[in-house]
Amino acid sequence: RHPEVKWAQRTDKVFITVLLPDSKNAKVNLEPEGVFNFSATAGTDNNTYELKLDLFDKVNVEESKINIGVRSIFCILEKAEKVWWKKLLRGDGKAPHYVKVDWDKWVDEDEDKGMFLYSLN
């Protein structure tokens, strides 16, 4: 079983939210090569949910943050290189059906560059 995953990005980071309410024993393992592993149990039958994502590029494991909450697991992954990814996963295929864009957190590449710059005029 795969939990639903939402993602968004900035030039320097990727946001991954694993939507799995009331999960137990949630574990996230992140590898520098860009491999994201997740496992947990959830539901009244304690079903096992597992996920392995081969991310588009490398990540900085030490700078990344993972927050395991009651309704979801929220991860901020620092990119190894500050570049815009064409997509979340490497390979030529389409993303699996359980991986969706998080439109609440999404910004376009051209909006991202000037997001924190303010005019002093």
Side-chain angles (χ1 to χ4, degrees), residues 13 25 27 41 47-48 64 68 74 80 85 96 99 103 105:
K13 57 184 59 96
N25 304 317
K27 293 181 184 66
T41 56
N47 293 316
T48 300
S64 297
I68 298 174
F74 181 59
W85 292 0
V99 175
W103 294 114
K105 293 183 182 68

Side-chain angles (χ1 to χ4, degrees), residues 55-106:
L55 302 174
F56 186 75
D57 208 347
K58 295 179 177 149
V59 293
N60 183 335
V61 175
E62 291 78 29
E63 296 295 317
S64 297
K65 296 175 181 63
I66 297 164
N67 179 19
I68 298 174
V70 176
R71 303 187 64 66
S72 63
I73 293 83
F74 181 59
C75 307
I76 302 174
L77 310 183
E78 290 290 330
K79 294 178 180 177
E81 292 183 53
K82 292 179 174 27
V83 294
W84 199 259
W85 292 0
K86 289 186 288 196
K87 55 188 182 170
L88 177 64
L89 305 176
R90 73 179 71 126
D92 294 331
K94 271 180 56 178
H97 66 90
Y98 52 84
V99 175
K100 297 178 172 61
V101 170
D102 190 341
W103 294 114
D104 293 336
K105 293 183 182 68
W106 191 266

Side-chain angles (χ1 to χ4, degrees), residues 40 120-121:
L120 299 175
N121 295 340

Side-chain angles (χ1 to χ4, degrees), residues 20-40:
L20 193 61
D22 302 321
S23 65
K24 300 176 206 71
N25 304 317
K27 293 181 184 66
V28 175
N29 183 27
L30 185 61
E31 297 173 22
E33 302 78 42
V35 179
F36 178 91
N37 286 297
F38 169 82
S39 67

